[in-house]
Amino acid sequence: MKIITAVLLFVAPPLASGFTTLSGGRVGTKLDAAIFFDSQTGNTEKCAGYLGEASGVPIEYIGDATEDTIKGEDCIIVGAPTWHTGEDECRSGTAWDEWLYDTLPNLGLEGKRVAIFGCGDQQSYSDYYCDAAGELYDQFTAAGAKVYGFTSTDGYEHVESKAEVEDGKFCGLMFDEDNQYDLSEERANSWIAQLKQEGFFV
Ligand SMILES: Cc1cc2nc3c(=O)[nH]c(=O)nc-3n(C[C@H](O)[C@H](O)[C@H](O)COP(=O)(O)O)c2cc1C
């Protein structure tokens, strides 16, 4: 009996708090998960933080992530800002630009669960809002990934966006820390709940 009590005391607390598994995912998410992002001035990093808090999933700069780490995750959330207005490629102005074309095609991510978020400015860059998130979508789907977490464009005032991959639907969650920073945390919480409902983490 003493032995059983000791085992319960050792095992129960970490399970209750959702401890991190060896490869980074949380027990509560069932599958190993991670959030990879990059950011020039900190806005996308802040939003990645909201998503990490809402999900319990660790966040990491894409430039710091090893290929083995990325391949080892069952599901990944990826996020980028948009900086290069009007270009067709390399829209984020971050490590993603090289990674999407030099690393991703050789990783073998067929069937990988991916959810995408972007960070942009829908007022000043209304014709290009979060275009880099659309570029992530194009490249990850070309690599065979399965994208979860589409959201409605309701509540946004952009004119055009490459992240709007279906009529009225973004390919993921779009943040706007320049004009709607007060909505970001709530948007992150709702999106993680949506991803859970879609079975992204299980
Ligand atoms: C020179 C410049 C170009 C930008 N181009 C775009 C753009 O094309 N589309 C967009 O949605 N936002 C654009 N933005 C806004 C940034 O994407 C936005 O401020 C974002 O929050 C920056 O994220 P970061 O701090 O993670 O780099 C631009 C900002 C600057 C200063």
Side-chain angles (χ1 to χ4, degrees):
M1 187 61 181
K2 270 186 187 160
I3 292 172
I4 293 171
T5 308
V7 168
L8 282 175
L9 282 173
F10 181 73
V11 170
L15 278 179
S17 59
F19 71 96
T20 306
T21 62
L22 285 180
S23 61
R26 298 277 166 162
V27 167
T29 62
K30 297 201 177 138
L31 294 179
D32 288 326
I35 297 169
F36 300 109
F37 70 96
D38 206 347
S39 180
Q40 277 202 37
T41 58
N43 291 337
T44 312
E45 180 170 17
K46 193 170 169 193
C47 298
Y50 290 141
L51 294 170
E53 276 171 35
S55 62
V57 168
I59 71 172
E60 187 171 5
Y61 274 103
I62 186 63
D64 294 341
T66 66
E67 295 185 12
D68 283 346
T69 304
I70 296 162
K71 284 198 284 190
E73 304 295 350
D74 300 303
C75 39
I76 59 175
I77 298 176
V78 295
T82 299
W83 282 82
H84 287 183
T85 304
E87 302 293 326
D88 283 331
E89 290 185 353
C90 299
R91 304 301 312 281
S92 84
T94 69
W96 280 117
D97 294 343
E98 208 181 317
W99 191 92
L100 285 176
Y101 299 94
D102 294 350
T103 305
L104 175 59
N106 306 313
L107 272 187
L109 294 193
E110 292 84 9
K112 181 78 75 184
R113 294 156 179 248
V114 174
I116 296 165
F117 69 99
C119 200
D121 176 344
Q122 65 195 280
Q123 282 185 14
S124 303
Y125 301 93
S126 182
D127 289 336
Y128 311 99
Y129 178 53
C130 283
D131 275 3
E135 191 180 353
L136 290 188
Y137 175 81
D138 290 343
Q139 297 310 311
F140 273 99
T141 50
K146 181 167 166 32
V147 178
Y148 290 67
F150 281 35
T151 63
S152 168
T153 57
D154 290 352
Y156 296 84
E157 292 172 356
H158 63 285
V159 175
E160 276 190 52
S161 170
K162 287 198 168 79
E164 196 174 332
V165 293
E166 285 176 15
D167 205 18
K169 289 271 180 197
F170 286 127
C171 59
L173 177 61
M174 301 308 132
F175 292 100
D176 186 340
E177 283 292 297
D178 294 288
N179 307 292
Q180 297 179 331
Y181 60 88
D182 49 332
L183 300 181
S184 293
E185 194 168 4
E186 190 188 316
R187 280 177 171 161
N189 292 340
S190 304
W191 192 52
I192 293 299
Q194 176 188 332
L195 288 174
K196 284 180 179 167
Q197 270 188 347
E198 289 180 13
F200 179 69
F201 295 112
V202 293

